[in-house]
């Protein structure tokens, strides 16, 4: 049976009742033109619902869709598509100008202008704006301001109408007009790939869609150039700061459906104009490594690099970041220490007496390295005594009146560093004083830190660009100690800084390996070290939540399916933990860490289920990222320098205002109010990804682990998840999935060029 043909409706937009800035969903009142789509004798207006981006009251809309009936509000027209045109009647013009669309024209001046010029109003605004001065109350300055605002709005309107078929949002259209002004449409049609380079939020795929529809050839040089840059940016998102030229060509040829020969020519052209950089040699994955374009989809896989890597290609920002790191390594090595004179043996003896026990020789070596070497690294897994060394080091430096700064990539890591050392610690962004207006750090090489010694914890989280900014801020006479666990997940951003620095063998490294926390019978620690040793036999497994050992710090609860896993995690949070550990808050002290976002036991569905179980009572605020309710746990997804909030910060909803569409949340004691346009930066945080947990510790951690997560199952992933638990860890899932994860140890390899820059070696590996 054929589906009914769509209905149509034409009329003047009278009133916008509701508008969602995120998806442009609109509820509005339309005054229909007689005989233009109304099925029966209408009231004066009809209700229309659907996406209406960029429209204003007074416009004439030609709508396509279907008539529906709402149980409470009666007949409504559900929009599937629309066309908009400037109003032609005096009534419509008056309504349009009076909507506040054009700055400088409110209802009063709209009435005066339309009374004066009638249906000729828009022509006067466009072509003879000087006549506006004939209207009472409009002088030279106001007339000029109205003319400017009208032209800007006209450009925005034209751009939006042109781009709405390509999925470009209103906010992106505003960015385009702000960037290019009246030339916006000309730039888009003439240089669509330029838009992808210069406008934040408009990527290659959108620009490519526009260009192909405009008739650009598949092998047009601007398309190939933009595609190569896009390929490098995609590889950068996977963690690579450099990539073998041959593999880049193969990957880009598949991505762009073009020939390798054409791409080789375009690489040479991009090198000539310095849009990309080429080097000999680099640190690369070995044969057999597979990188995925989408880390949650094996279908995005590429063949492993297989050629002799004669040359590596980099984006200039990655090249500059690695050069800056290499320069700092050389600078620190070439300038004498500015620390007060310290007798190392006496200092070690004093620190041991203060601690109440003798240090292991490796711990003594770590302290000696930090005090005698300008740049040193301390690494090791959980329970090996890193905290002991840091506390002793800070006490020695304070006793010598040295200026000590402590920092970590995340707020939680900085807080933990402060608690364990007794010093003041801050996030790296706060230490370097990021300034939102300038979009950069005010503490830098020209204005370095006023410090004698900088200690940075969780250094495995440092990507190349943040590491470059941090290292540049270190004064030449100061000491730098990086502390991290190289077995954890690498940084979210591109690079593998800590491992590359260690691989140079130019920087003194102390690897602590003796486990001290074993005297407390910590299964978390012993299992973590077993994972690193490749032991894929899981800890003891119980079949039911009720059979978990409350006294033990790590439990493995079997789950037969994703649904069973979800049910048992919910039972842990709502029953087992509150019954056995009354001192733990099931919302704030318990953190579910999932390998994947999708699926029944993925982050998204876990959040929905746990919100319903732990916070079911409150009325919420619906957004594209789900419903937020007072009491919900939140995570900040992107850096927001205006609010001093950073990717991975955890907060809690305090209140919502449904009428204003705002949300107020507490992040570490600071209250922040979010409007609808900012909700995309927030998500529920009852469950978060393991990647987002880097640098943090939680009293209780729950880890779903299923064979369905096979794409993400890696040794460093499960190791990172388990070591986030401070008091208790519950693994819920399949023992076979645990074994799969431990066996997969090859996933943390990345292509970089930092080691070669430090060594000054351009000849390859």
């Amino acid at each position: 049976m054929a589906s009914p043909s769509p209905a149509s409706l034409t009329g003047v937009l009278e009133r916008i009742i509701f508008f969602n800035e995120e998806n442009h969903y609109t509820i509005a009142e339309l005054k229909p033109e007689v005989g233009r789509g109304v099925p029966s004798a209408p009231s004066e207006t009809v209700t229309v619902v659907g996406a209406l981006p960029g429209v204003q009251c007074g416009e004439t809309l030609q709508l396509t869709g279907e008539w529906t009936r709402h149980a409470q509000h009666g007949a409504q027209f559900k929009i599937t598509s629309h066309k908009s045109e400037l109003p032609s009647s005096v009534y419509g013009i008056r309504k349009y100008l009076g909507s506040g669309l054009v700055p400088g024209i409110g209802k009063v001046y709209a009435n005066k202008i339309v009374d004066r010029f009638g249906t000729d109003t828009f022509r006067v605004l466009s072509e003879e704006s000087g006549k506006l001065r004939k209207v009472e109350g409009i002088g030279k300055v106001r007339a000029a301001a109205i003319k400017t605002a009208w032209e800007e709005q006209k450009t925005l309107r034209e751009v939006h109408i042109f781009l709405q078929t390509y999925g470009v949002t209103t906010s992106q259209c505003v960015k385009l007009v702000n960037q290019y002004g009246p030339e916006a449409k000309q730039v888009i049609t003439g240089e669509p790939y330029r838009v992808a380079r210069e406008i934040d939020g408009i990527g290659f795929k959108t620009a490519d869609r526009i260009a192909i529809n405009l008739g650009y050839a598949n092998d047009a040089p601007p398309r190939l150039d933009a595609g190569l840059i896009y390929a490098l940016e995609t590889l950068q998102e996977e963690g690579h700061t450099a990539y073998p030229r041959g593999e880049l060509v193969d990957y880009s040829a598949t991505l762009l459906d073009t020939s390798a020969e054409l791409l080789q020519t375009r690489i040479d052209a991009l090198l000539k104009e310095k849009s990309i950089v080429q080097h000999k040699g680099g640190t690369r994955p070995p044969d057999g490594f597979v990188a995925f374009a989408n880390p949650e989809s094996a279908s995005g896989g590429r063949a492993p690099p297989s050629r002799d890597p004669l040359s590596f290609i980099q984006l200039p920002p990655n090249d500059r970041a690695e050069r800056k790191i290499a320069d700092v390594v050389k600078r620190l090595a070439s300038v004498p220490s500015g620390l007060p004179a310290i007798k190392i043996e006496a200092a070690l003896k004093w620190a041991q007496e203060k601690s109440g026990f003798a240090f292991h020789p490796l711990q003594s070596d770590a302290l000696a390295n930090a005090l005698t070497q300008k740049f040193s690294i301390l690494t090791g897994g959980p329970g090996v005594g890193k905290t002991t060394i840091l506390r002793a080091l800070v006490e020695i430096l304070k006793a010598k009146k040295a200026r000590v700064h402590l920092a970590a990539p995340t707020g939680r890591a900085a807080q933990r560093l402060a608690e364990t050392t007794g010093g003041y610690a801050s996030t790296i962004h706060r230490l370097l004083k990021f300034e939102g207006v300038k979009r950069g750090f005010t503490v830098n090489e020209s204005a370095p830190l006023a410090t004698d010694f900088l200690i940075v914890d969780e250094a495995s989280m440092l990507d190349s660009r943040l590491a470059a900014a941090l290292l540049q801020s270190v004064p030449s006479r100061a000491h730098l100690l990086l502390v991290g666990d190289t077995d954890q997940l690498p940084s979210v951003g591109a690079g593998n800084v800590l491992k590359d620095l260690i691989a140079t063998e130019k920087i003194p490294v102390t690897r602590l390996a003796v486990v001290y926390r074993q005297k407390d019978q910590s299964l978390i620690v012993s299992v973590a070290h077993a994972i690193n040793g490749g032991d894929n036999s899981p800890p003891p497994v119980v079949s039911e939540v009720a059979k978990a050992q409350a006294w033990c710090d790590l439990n493995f609860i079997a789950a037969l399916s994703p649904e069973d896993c979800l049910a048992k995690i919910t039972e842990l949070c709502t029953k087992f933990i509150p019954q056995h550990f009354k001192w733990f808050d099931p919302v704030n002290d318990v953190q579910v860490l999932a390998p994947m976002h999708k699926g029944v036991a993925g982050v998204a569905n876990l959040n929905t289920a746990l919100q319903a179980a732990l916070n079911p009572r409150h009325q919420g605020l619906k957004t594209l990222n789900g419903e937020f309710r007072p009491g919900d746990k939140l995570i900040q997804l992107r850096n927001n320098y205006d609010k001093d909030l950073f990717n991975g910060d955890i907060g809690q909803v305090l209140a919502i205002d449904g009428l204003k569409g705002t949300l107020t949340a507490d992040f570490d004691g600071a209250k922040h109010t979010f409007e609808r346009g900012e909700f995309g930066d927030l998500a529920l945080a009852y469950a978060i990804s393991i990647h987002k947990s880097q640098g943090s510790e939680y009293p209780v951690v729950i880890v779903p682990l299923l064979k369905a997560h096979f794409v993400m199952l890696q040794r460093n992933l499960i190791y990172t998840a388990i070591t986030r638990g401070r008091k208790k860890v519950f693994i819920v899932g399949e023992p076979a999935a645990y074994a799969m994860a431990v066996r997969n140890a090859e996933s943390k390899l990345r292509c970089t060029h930092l080691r070669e820059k430090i060594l000054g070696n351009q000849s390859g590996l």
Side-chain angles (χ1 to χ4, degrees):
M1 181 178 176
S3 58
S5 58
S8 61
L9 177 65
T10 300
V12 176
L13 189 63
E14 279 286 304
R15 183 165 75 99
I16 296 175
I17 300 169
F18 171 80
F19 179 71
N20 186 327
E21 291 182 3
E22 295 175 350
N23 59 8
H24 308 136
Y25 180 80
T26 306
I27 302 174
E29 291 180 351
L30 188 85
K31 185 176 183 180
E33 294 182 3
V34 178
R36 299 291 298 275
V38 184
S40 59
S43 58
E44 190 170 336
T45 61
V46 296
T47 301
V48 296
V49 297
L52 287 175
V55 299
Q56 295 292 334
C57 293
E59 294 184 49
T60 297
L61 301 181
Q62 298 175 21
L63 308 177
T64 302
E66 62 177 340
W67 285 97
T68 61
R69 178 162 291 277
H70 190 278
Q72 184 177 351
H73 302 294
Q76 296 181 340
F77 190 83
K78 188 176 181 181
I79 304 161
T80 55
S81 64
H82 79 283
K83 291 183 178 179
S84 176
E85 59 188 47
L86 286 175
S88 56
S89 67
V90 169
Y91 171 82
I93 295 170
R94 195 184 303 275
K95 190 80 177 175
Y96 183 80
L97 288 183
S99 67
L101 172 69
V102 183
I105 303 180
K107 287 185 177 180
V108 173
Y109 280 108
N111 287 331
K112 288 182 177 182
I113 292 170
V114 177
D115 286 345
R116 178 82 187 193
F117 302 113
T119 56
D120 208 26
T121 295
F122 290 155
R123 189 192 64 78
V124 170
L125 287 170
S126 297
E127 301 173 11
E128 299 181 76
S129 58
K131 288 185 176 180
L132 290 171
R133 295 171 63 184
K134 295 180 180 180
V135 177
E136 182 185 356
I138 298 181
K140 182 178 180 180
V141 174
R142 184 181 289 273
I146 290 173
K147 169 67 173 177
T148 300
W150 174 255
E151 290 300 326
E152 287 177 352
Q153 184 59 38
K154 180 182 176 184
T155 301
L156 177 60
R157 182 185 185 81
E158 289 176 350
V159 169
H160 191 277
I161 291 172
F162 173 67
L163 290 178
Q164 63 184 359
T165 57
Y166 303 111
V168 178
T169 67
T170 302
S171 62
Q172 289 172 331
C173 286
V174 171
K175 289 179 181 179
L176 284 164
V177 174
N178 288 343
Q179 178 85 3
Y180 304 121
E183 308 300 319
K185 187 174 179 181
Q186 181 180 335
V187 171
I188 295 163
T189 54
E191 302 177 87
Y193 295 104
R194 174 182 165 190
V195 172
R197 292 196 310 271
E198 297 179 353
I199 304 296
D200 184 35
I202 299 181
F204 171 78
K205 289 184 177 180
T206 300
D208 198 39
R209 196 160 56 241
I210 295 170
I212 295 298
N213 278 276
L214 288 171
Y216 274 71
N218 198 56
D219 57 358
R223 179 174 188 267
L224 300 184
D225 292 354
L228 283 163
I229 299 297
Y230 172 65
L232 283 167
E233 289 171 344
T234 303
L235 292 164
Q236 177 181 276
E237 289 173 4
E238 296 172 14
H240 307 291
T241 63
Y243 214 67
R245 176 166 174 158
E247 279 76 19
L248 174 64
V249 167
D250 291 346
Y251 173 46
S252 302
T254 302
L255 180 74
L256 301 171
D257 191 23
T258 191
S259 73
E261 291 75 15
L262 286 173
L263 288 170
Q264 291 283 12
T265 301
R266 296 319 306 166
I267 285 180
D268 290 336
L270 289 171
L271 287 169
K272 190 173 182 179
E273 66 183 46
K274 299 183 179 179
S275 294
I276 58 176
V277 179
Q278 181 170 280
H279 295 289
K280 296 293 183 183
T283 301
R284 61 173 300 198
D287 290 342
F289 171 81
V290 178
F292 293 104
N294 176 356
E296 291 194 6
S297 172
S299 64
R302 298 191 292 279
S306 56
R307 293 182 180 81
D308 181 27
L310 296 177
S311 56
F312 271 60
I313 303 295
Q314 289 192 284
L315 291 169
N318 290 329
D319 177 56
R320 287 194 296 270
E322 291 181 343
R323 285 184 184 279
K324 289 175 182 177
I325 295 170
D327 289 345
V328 173
V329 172
K330 294 171 185 174
R331 172 167 61 85
L332 290 179
S334 64
V335 178
S337 170
L339 285 180
I342 298 175
K343 295 179 180 178
I344 303 302
E345 292 299 325
L348 291 175
K349 183 179 179 182
W350 177 82
Q352 290 178 88
E353 290 174 351
K354 198 168 177 61
S355 299
F357 57 88
F359 295 159
H360 185 276
L362 283 175
Q363 291 178 306
S364 297
D365 289 346
L367 263 176
N369 277 339
L371 292 170
T372 59
Q373 304 293 327
K374 296 285 299 305
F375 191 174
S376 60
I377 294 173
L378 173 62
T379 185
V384 296
K386 295 193 298 292
T387 298
T388 299
I389 296 306
L390 294 182
R391 188 184 303 116
L393 177 60
V394 170
E395 288 174 347
I396 290 170
L397 293 169
K398 283 184 175 179
K400 287 292 183 177
K401 302 292 190 288
R403 297 170 298 175
V404 185
H405 283 73
L406 305 167
T410 68
R412 289 187 173 227
Q415 183 179 356
R416 188 175 71 251
L417 181 61
E419 291 169 353
T420 56
T421 62
Y424 172 76
S426 68
T427 64
I428 293 171
H429 281 84
R430 292 187 178 100
L431 178 75
L432 302 183
K433 298 178 182 177
F434 189 91
E435 191 171 292
V437 176
K438 295 182 179 179
R439 311 304 292 174
F441 295 109
T442 59
V443 176
N444 49 46
E445 191 170 24
S446 301
L449 289 167
T451 190
D452 298 312
F453 206 116
L454 174 61
I455 300 170
V456 182
D457 199 9
E458 297 290 353
S460 63
M461 294 180 65
L462 291 174
D463 61 60
S464 295
R465 298 191 194 183
L466 183 58
L470 177 67
L471 267 62
Q472 277 191 301
S473 75
V474 180
S476 296
R477 292 174 62 81
H479 284 232
L480 173 63
L481 172 64
L482 298 183
V483 183
D485 186 346
T486 55
D487 294 313
Q488 289 187 26
L489 288 167
S491 58
V492 175
N496 211 357
V497 175
L498 186 62
K499 294 193 77 172
D500 284 347
L501 289 171
I502 292 172
T504 65
E505 299 183 354
K506 292 284 188 181
I507 301 164
V509 178
T510 305
R511 294 178 177 85
L512 299 181
V514 179
V515 178
Y516 297 95
R517 228 190 290 174
Q518 275 307 99
K519 63 186 179 188
D520 301 323
Q521 300 299 310
S522 171
L523 196 56
I524 294 174
V525 173
S526 61
V527 167
H529 285 275
I531 289 170
N532 273 343
D535 182 354
N536 63 8
S537 56
V541 180
V542 298
S543 59
E544 300 173 14
V545 172
K547 293 180 180 179
Q549 303 295 317
W551 56 267
C552 187
D553 67 349
L554 188 147
N555 281 273
F556 197 131
I557 302 167
L560 302 177
S561 66
E563 291 75 16
D564 188 32
C565 179
L566 177 63
K568 285 176 175 173
I569 288 174
T570 304
E571 184 181 350
L572 275 170
C573 293
T574 58
K575 295 180 181 178
F576 187 89
I577 291 171
Q579 287 173 1
H580 291 85
F581 314 109
K582 292 182 171 56
W583 52 92
F584 290 142
D585 181 334
V587 173
N588 293 312
D589 293 331
V590 178
Q591 187 60 63
V592 179
L593 302 178
M596 294 180 68
H597 284 272
K598 298 176 183 178
V600 174
V603 169
N605 195 55
L606 281 163
N607 272 316
T608 301
L610 291 173
Q611 182 191 49
L614 297 172
N615 192 22
R617 296 178 299 279
H618 296 291
Q619 181 69 28
L621 190 66
K622 289 182 169 56
T623 75
L624 290 179
N625 279 10
E627 182 177 340
F628 297 133
R629 304 170 182 171
D632 278 339
K633 184 158 65 171
L634 294 176
I635 185 169
Q636 176 77 17
L637 299 176
R638 299 176 189 85
N639 292 344
N640 185 327
Y641 300 108
D642 296 329
K643 283 185 164 60
D644 202 27
L645 290 175
F646 301 97
N647 186 356
D649 283 354
I650 300 289
Q652 190 166 25
V653 180
L654 297 176
I656 60 170
D657 189 323
L659 293 176
K660 293 182 180 178
T662 60
L663 175 155
T664 302
D666 178 286
F667 284 82
D668 289 329
K671 291 183 181 179
H672 299 278
T673 298
F674 299 84
E675 299 179 349
R676 284 195 179 274
E678 299 173 304
F679 291 164
D681 292 348
L682 300 173
L684 292 174
Y686 298 97
I688 63 175
S689 70
I690 296 172
H691 284 83
K692 287 285 188 186
S693 75
Q694 288 176 263
S696 297
E697 283 188 350
Y698 312 92
V700 182
V701 161
I702 301 174
V703 186
L705 200 62
L706 300 164
K707 287 188 288 185
H709 299 147
F710 73 95
V711 173
M712 298 296 290
L713 293 181
Q714 307 160 5
R715 182 181 296 179
N716 56 351
L717 189 85
I718 185 65
Y719 173 83
T720 299
I722 287 174
T723 55
R724 299 308 90 200
R726 193 161 61 241
K727 298 291 185 181
K728 302 287 179 182
V729 172
F730 296 89
I731 302 173
V732 183
E734 299 168 285
Y738 179 94
M740 288 169 62
V742 175
R743 283 197 299 267
N744 182 12
E746 299 302 321
S747 57
K748 37 189 166 180
L749 299 165
R750 295 180 171 190
C751 295
T752 66
H753 197 256
L754 176 59
R755 178 175 173 272
E756 284 63 41
K757 287 183 173 72
I758 293 174
L759 296 176
N761 172 21
Q762 301 293 312
S763 60
L765 295 178

